[in-house]
């Protein structure tokens, strides 16, 4: 971005007074444009012991399996975002049980937040961003075809907690792959 979102004038990257990071600052009106991490919110949704996964119809990682998740919208809570994304991508209604895992991915300016939840019915269907949607028993999860490391981490700790019948909350950081 190189133009002010307020007045359209050219901006310049500099450290504003009282700040410690370079920001885009408008040369005309002085507006400071802050760029902050994007929040991706999703859900580990179960039905009859099976986990709902979606095969991505969009890049990145088209054709790979993921949990229903996507970018949070302004004006919605994180739980509402998880319910919306599950409905948009998997055509499913989900009841949220609890926050489960937060994964910081600083090198791509994202935070992934996953909830635990359960489908309110066995009804689901592929949304516009999904090639297909399916329920998987833990032993049938396509581990080698998962889309993102955050999804793998979330599923691994979820299944471990499910075996122990006690769920926690996990905070994790993913570093760039070597």
């Amino acid at each position: 971005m190189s133009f002010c979102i307020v007045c359209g004038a050219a901006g310049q990257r500099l450290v504003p007074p009282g700040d410690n990071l370079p920001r885009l600052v408008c040369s005309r009106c002085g507006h400071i444009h802050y760029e902050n991490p994007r929040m991706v919110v999703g859900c580990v949704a179960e039905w009859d012991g099976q986990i709902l996964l979606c095969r991505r119809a969009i890049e990145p990682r088209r054709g790979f399996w993921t949990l229903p998740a996507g970018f949070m919208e302004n004006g919605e809570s994180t739980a509402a975002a998880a319910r919306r994304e599950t409905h948009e991508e998997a055509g499913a209604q989900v009841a949220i049980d609890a926050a489960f895992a937060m994964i910081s991915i600083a090198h791509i300016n994202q935070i992934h937040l996953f909830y635990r939840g359960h489908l309110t019915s066995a009804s689901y269907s592929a949304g516009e961003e999904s090639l297909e949607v399916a329920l998987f028993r833990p032993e049938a999860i396509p581990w080698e075809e998962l889309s993102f490391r955050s999804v793998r981490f979330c599923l691994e700790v979820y299944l471990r907690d499910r075996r122990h019948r006690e769920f926690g909350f996990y905070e994790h950081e993913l570093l760039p792959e070597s």
Side-chain angles (χ1 to χ4, degrees):
M1 177 179 273
S2 55
F3 296 96
C4 179
I5 62 171
V6 174
C7 73
Q12 55 186 350
R13 287 224 166 260
L14 54 93
V15 178
D19 205 336
N20 61 355
L21 294 173
R23 314 282 185 185
L24 181 70
V25 178
C26 179
S27 57
R28 183 184 309 149
C29 73
H31 177 76
I32 302 168
H33 178 73
Y34 292 94
E35 296 176 53
N36 301 106
R38 306 265 335 254
M39 179 76 91
V40 172
V41 184
C43 189
V44 181
E46 276 202 55
W47 177 262
D48 192 29
Q50 298 175 88
I51 296 172
L52 184 69
L53 295 177
C54 306
R55 189 184 294 269
R56 292 177 58 83
I58 59 172
E59 294 295 348
R61 309 289 288 163
R62 185 180 196 283
F64 286 81
W65 291 96
T66 189
L67 292 166
F71 289 109
M72 185 175 171
E73 298 290 348
N74 289 335
E76 71 182 345
S77 69
T78 53
R83 284 190 298 273
R84 177 184 54 76
E85 285 292 341
T86 301
H87 185 259
E88 285 180 3
E89 294 186 5
Q93 298 296 321
V94 65
I96 298 296
D97 295 325
F100 180 67
M102 182 175 65
I103 300 114
S104 296
I105 314 173
H107 62 280
I108 60 169
N109 304 318
Q110 291 182 5
I111 300 164
H112 294 191
L113 176 64
F114 292 98
Y115 280 88
R116 290 186 297 109
H118 59 277
L119 299 181
T120 58
S121 76
S123 177
Y124 59 87
S125 61
E128 196 171 306
E129 295 181 3
S130 299
L131 295 170
E132 64 180 302
V133 178
L135 289 167
F136 289 89
R137 295 237 173 256
E139 63 276 7
I141 290 173
W143 293 101
E144 298 307 313
E145 296 177 52
L146 292 179
S147 57
F148 305 108
R149 293 185 297 152
S150 61
V151 170
R152 174 180 284 279
F153 170 80
C154 188
L155 285 170
E156 287 172 347
V157 294
Y158 181 85
L159 292 172
R160 184 190 67 207
D161 280 10
R162 192 173 93 162
R163 280 191 302 275
H164 293 122
R165 301 177 202 264
E166 186 174 341
F167 290 97
F169 179 79
Y170 299 90
E171 186 175 352
H172 186 63
E173 182 176 357
L174 289 177
L175 301 174
E177 291 184 292
S178 306

